[in-house]
Amino acid sequence: MKAVLMLLVVMFLALASAQNGCVRDDTDGQPLCNAAETTQRLWRNNWDPTAYWECETSGTPAAYRRCPTEGMFDSNTRTCINWFDWEWTPTCKPPSRL
């Protein structure tokens, strides 16, 4: 019985972490700025919602950028928005790093 319960818990955790094809990203989110990631250009900073990463050219390190005062980076629109409009979303690894 305990084994079945443990198996169900493990299966639930696996399904929750793979929801919507999202693999949890516990890093700061700094992109590699390779050819695949440069096309998107702006990336969420997973540790600081007032900041983001910018890939300017392929093969160079991503630049750390800050939103203006009272701004938070929105990963859906890839822009800085007012903090009262910002909503937390799960941090997901980019498809190029799965």
Side-chain angles (χ1 to χ4, degrees):
M1 182 67 178
K2 288 182 182 179
V4 171
L5 182 58
M6 185 60 146
L7 180 62
L8 288 173
V9 168
V10 169
M11 288 174 54
F12 173 77
L13 292 174
L15 287 173
S17 68
Q19 184 180 12
N20 296 327
C22 176
V23 176
R24 185 176 167 159
D25 186 2
D26 292 326
T27 69
D28 64 359
Q30 183 175 8
L32 301 173
C33 293
N34 55 26
E37 293 179 351
T38 303
T39 58
Q40 197 160 318
R41 205 171 141 246
L42 301 179
W43 293 87
R44 170 185 184 167
N45 184 315
N46 295 338
W47 295 348
D48 181 359
T50 66
Y52 58 94
W53 300 101
E54 182 176 10
C55 286
E56 297 175 304
T57 57
S58 183
T60 60
Y64 178 85
R65 305 278 190 239
R66 300 285 314 228
C67 290
T69 304
E70 297 183 16
M72 308 275 271
F73 186 76
D74 181 47
S75 54
N76 291 328
T77 62
R78 303 218 178 276
T79 60
C80 291
I81 61 174
N82 282 327
W83 63 271
F84 56 83
D85 291 327
W86 184 83
E87 291 183 23
W88 181 87
T89 56
T91 56
C92 301
K93 287 187 180 183
S96 60
R97 288 195 241 159
L98 293 179

